[in-house]
Amino acid sequence: MTSLERYAVVSCHVEQPLDDAVWAAFERLLERRPAGFVVTPFLRPPAAGEDEELWLERARRAAQLAPLGHHTHWGGPTQARPAGAVDAAEVVRGEIEWLRARDLAPRWFCGGGWYLDEPVAETLAAFDYVDCSATTFRQSYLDDAAPRLQLAGPRRVRLPSGASMLELPATHSLGMLGRDLLRLHGFVHLHFHDWELVDRRRALALHTVLRALRLRRKPLTIDQLTDRAANAPEIDWPRGLET
Ligand SMILES: [Zn+2]
């Protein structure tokens, strides 16, 4: 793999694309490319009862401005991880088919609440998605048995079906990167949420952190990262709990 040590990507979980204030702030960010970063928009498709036409208009705008990503919340706008008897893989398949039927073909995926299980991974691989649901860090709010994937960096994950899925884990939240800036190691994949942009303190922190990050790492777009990670180390699912 081409060394990624000196590079960074930034992605956003776009959870409230139908909120006018949140969307306006996010669209402005995509247009401005702060500190040279083309932010990857992981868009949450509309839940039942949400305005599909407005959503599609905004998704098409996002796709004009950056490589488009897909974010699934299995339980609706405020419930990220699957709960109850939901078939997580079927939900993802349904969303991908809904998107493709409307001429939108996001290529990058991030599961809500960092959820990833084997059927979801197989579904993503079948649609030729690149997954970003893994993290290099552990979430303190998830218990040990919670389905998720922890990897030390980009990996090609060999699934039980024989399919291969490229995984580009997130390395930092906004708060984590703020704390780590002076002792950064290696590749950075920063993630944040669209609603953070309408919180003045968080929005300011994002811009400050991006400027500081730019002094330490070169910006990559997610498709550039995908190309550079094409020969990342291979691992077998589900042995992928690297700490
Ligand atoms: Zn989310």
Side-chain angles (χ1 to χ4, degrees):
M1 178 165 54
T2 320
S3 174
L4 295 169
E5 303 245 310
R6 292 178 300 112
Y7 294 93
V9 294
V10 179
S11 61
C12 180
H13 299 183
V14 183
E15 301 180 341
Q16 300 179 19
L18 297 175
D19 180 300
D20 290 340
V22 172
W23 174 257
F26 182 65
E27 185 181 20
R28 212 158 44 238
L29 187 88
L30 286 183
E31 288 166 348
R32 288 185 182 169
R33 302 186 168 181
F37 287 98
V38 176
V39 174
T40 311
F42 289 110
L43 260 67
R44 178 183 65 77
E50 290 187 314
D51 185 338
E52 293 188 0
E53 285 313 309
L54 182 61
W55 190 93
L56 287 166
E57 188 184 302
R58 290 178 175 178
R60 290 188 179 114
R61 177 64 181 148
Q64 286 174 342
L65 295 167
L68 191 63
H70 174 179
H71 184 55
T72 292
H73 273 197
W74 282 272
T78 57
Q79 170 59 42
R81 293 175 69 88
V86 65
D87 183 332
E90 269 312 302
V91 171
V92 172
R93 174 185 302 278
E95 287 185 349
I96 295 172
E97 288 172 348
W98 184 87
L99 289 160
R100 292 197 176 177
R102 284 153 188 82
D103 289 327
L104 284 168
R107 189 173 169 210
W108 294 270
F109 181 83
C110 183
W114 310 106
Y115 183 88
L116 186 67
D117 64 15
E118 187 188 310
V120 170
E122 292 280 10
T123 300
L124 297 173
F127 283 100
D128 205 23
Y129 266 42
V130 173
D131 188 46
C132 304
S133 305
T135 53
T136 58
F137 54 90
R138 186 176 172 4
Q139 293 82 7
S140 56
Y141 56 89
L142 293 179
D143 68 49
D144 289 344
R148 66 185 186 99
L149 185 61
Q150 186 167 334
L151 297 171
R155 297 286 184 269
R156 286 178 295 158
V157 181
R158 254 190 321 263
L159 299 171
S161 68
S164 176
M165 179 182 71
L166 181 62
E167 187 64 62
L168 305 173
T171 66
H172 293 82
S173 66
L174 188 51
M176 287 168 67
L177 188 56
R179 289 189 293 275
D180 281 1
L181 267 175
L182 297 179
R183 45 191 169 84
L184 269 188
H185 296 292
F187 174 69
V188 173
H189 181 172
L190 168 68
H191 82 90
F192 65 99
H193 304 88
D194 57 349
W195 44 265
E196 296 188 83
L197 298 172
V198 294
D199 174 320
R200 271 174 60 106
R201 190 181 54 84
R202 287 177 191 250
L204 187 64
L206 176 67
H207 284 92
T208 304
V209 161
L210 289 180
R211 277 196 300 273
L213 180 61
R214 180 66 185 88
L215 300 174
R216 295 163 174 82
R217 296 290 183 277
K218 283 186 180 167
L220 285 180
T221 61
I222 197 90
D223 46 355
Q224 289 171 330
L225 171 62
T226 299
D227 289 346
R228 285 168 189 254
N231 58 350
E234 268 198 301
I235 58 158
D236 284 327
W237 176 279
R239 224 173 42 217
L241 266 187
E242 300 177 334
T243 49

